[in-house]
Amino acid sequence: MGVPTEIKPDEGRVAITPDGVRELHGHGVSVLVQAGAGLGASIPDAEFAAVGAEVVATAEEVWERAGLICKVKEPQESELAFLRPDLVLFTYLHLAAYPGVADALLAAGTTGIAYETVQTEGGALPLLAPMSEVAGRMSVQVGAHFLERHNGGRGVLLGGAPGVRPASVVVLGAGNVGWNAAWMAAGLEAEVDLLDKSIDRLRYVDQIQMGRVTTLASNRGQVERVVTQADLVIGAVLVAGGKAPIVVDEDLVKAMKPGAVVVDIAIDQGGCIATSHETSHHDPVFEQHGVIHYAVGNMPGAVPHTSTYALTNVTLPYLSELASLGVAAAVGRDDALALGVNTVGGAIANATVAEALGKEHRPLAELLGAG
């Protein structure tokens, strides 16, 4: 297995920790790690070498020698040349948002397995969950920061002050991202409205948050009412493997308070705010219609040490299966992992991804059988 250094701008995470390397060695899997791969996450090469990883100098060597590449972000332009038919790539792919990467995987015949579409029978997304939790918690931090007047915001403190009304925070989506955002905002004593279409999900949140968050059924009228009164709107809508739906259209953004802040966490899947476009950690915000927009595409990359350990905790069991058994056997015994397979042999194996890209879908069993 190979772990190259991440080269996407502002990405400091690495796809495995030293504990992960040690665990894989216990399964008889050798691990190549590119020199410096862990430095952004405050993990020096010596820690990888101490548990048996072979630290190699270049990305080329990692990609060429390894049959299984484990990454954090989708392959970047300079990495696409490394794709090949006998390679398995295990990473966040977000192909609905990056169709060019999908085309490259299909052209190369690479088996692409996406963290974000590994899905359990109950609908949970175990490899997305920890990064969703990090992004949800971060969204409140960054929202509070940009609400400060010198950062372009309305000059509102989330928790208010004695005798002063706290900020109004609206969270769109009550999944892992949204619930963590709502929880953090409530912890800072903001007034929080959490919207979702699933009444069962809202019922669950309502039972555990003890009245600190107002849960609301999401529909057009409800969204319009709360968004226009909000100081901070957090977009946390997700369709596994697909493009995020637009929940806040441009006219609604125009109707928001001047200096309000939007944090569009769904930007990795195209965004759920009509006026959003992807930004970076070095240039995270822009203003449109008087509203500050934060739409960084890899929010957990800002805290790469925490994010790396949280990610490896959940990817390692699947990685062990893939490295020890091979793709066909691993997905044969794990239905959740099977849903993670996006591309095989030049075809798309995940129906939701195929629909999002407007391409043909072929059943995974057929593709693996053909391989």
Side-chain angles (χ1 to χ4, degrees):
M1 191 200 77
V3 180
T5 301
E6 297 295 323
I7 60 173
K8 186 168 185 172
D10 303 322
E11 182 53 74
R13 289 173 289 181
V14 61
I16 201 165
T17 62
D19 283 346
V21 173
R22 185 175 180 180
E23 193 72 17
L24 289 173
H25 268 266
H27 291 278
V29 179
S30 60
V31 181
L32 305 175
V33 177
Q34 185 182 349
L39 294 181
S42 302
I43 306 173
D45 292 342
E47 291 191 18
F48 286 114
V51 292
E54 181 183 350
V55 178
V56 300
T58 66
E60 287 83 356
E61 186 173 358
V62 174
W63 284 87
E64 289 171 6
R65 288 179 56 190
L68 169 62
I69 290 288
C70 188
K71 280 178 46 62
V72 177
K73 298 303 290 182
E74 73 283 350
Q76 303 300 291
E77 186 68 31
S78 64
E79 296 174 312
L80 298 179
F82 297 135
L83 301 177
R84 62 182 194 268
D86 63 340
L87 181 71
V88 178
L89 176 63
F90 191 39
T91 186
Y92 286 117
L93 287 173
H94 295 293
L95 297 184
Y98 301 108
V101 175
D103 290 340
L105 288 167
L106 294 173
T110 299
T111 298
I113 305 176
Y115 296 158
E116 73 276 4
T117 63
V118 173
Q119 188 168 15
T120 67
E121 186 177 353
L125 303 168
L127 306 191
L128 198 59
M131 297 302 95
S132 296
E133 290 160 355
V134 170
R137 295 178 184 205
M138 278 191 63
S139 69
V140 178
Q141 290 184 192
V142 299
H145 177 73
F146 288 105
L147 273 173
E148 296 173 12
R149 185 63 181 170
H150 64 278
N151 292 322
R154 286 173 45 74
V156 173
L157 181 65
L158 280 190
V164 181
R165 184 179 296 278
S168 171
V169 178
V170 171
V171 182
L172 303 171
N176 282 327
V177 176
W179 163 234
N180 276 270
W183 180 49
M184 291 294 285
L188 291 171
E189 300 188 355
E191 292 182 348
V192 184
D193 290 329
L194 177 63
L195 283 71
D196 201 282
K197 289 186 174 181
S198 170
I199 300 301
D200 285 341
R201 181 63 181 174
L202 294 178
R203 184 176 291 118
Y204 164 77
V205 171
D206 205 54
Q207 289 171 345
I208 63 174
Q209 55 76 34
M210 303 297 287
R212 299 171 65 201
V213 174
T214 301
T215 57
L216 298 170
S218 182
N219 54 61
R220 291 177 186 273
Q222 191 72 268
V223 170
E224 289 175 2
R225 283 190 293 274
V226 296
V227 166
T228 53
Q229 297 303 310
D231 298 298
L232 170 61
V233 174
I234 297 173
V237 179
L238 172 72
V239 175
K243 194 171 177 63
I246 297 298
V247 179
V248 177
D249 62 24
E250 186 165 3
D251 287 340
L252 189 49
V253 173
K254 291 178 181 177
M256 291 178 66
K257 298 175 181 178
V261 175
V262 163
V263 178
D264 193 349
I265 308 175
I267 198 67
D268 268 335
Q269 296 289 86
C272 63
I273 312 295
T275 46
S276 293
H277 61 75
E278 189 168 350
T279 59
S280 69
H281 289 295
H282 290 293
D283 188 15
V285 297
F286 62 93
E287 179 272 327
Q288 189 163 349
H289 304 311
V291 174
I292 305 300
H293 291 61
Y294 177 101
V296 174
N298 58 334
M299 289 180 67
V303 286
H305 183 81
T306 299
S307 297
T308 290
Y309 279 85
L311 182 59
T312 298
N313 286 343
V314 293
T315 58
L316 188 57
Y318 295 100
L319 187 56
S320 296
E321 288 184 354
L322 288 168
S324 302
L325 303 174
V327 174
V331 302
R333 40 187 287 183
D334 193 327
D335 291 339
L337 184 59
L339 288 174
V341 181
N342 283 199
T343 64
V344 178
I348 298 181
N350 182 291
T352 304
V353 172
E355 182 180 0
L357 292 169
K359 295 182 181 291
E360 180 185 358
H361 160 250
R362 289 178 61 189
L364 178 60
E366 173 189 315
L367 293 170
L368 291 178

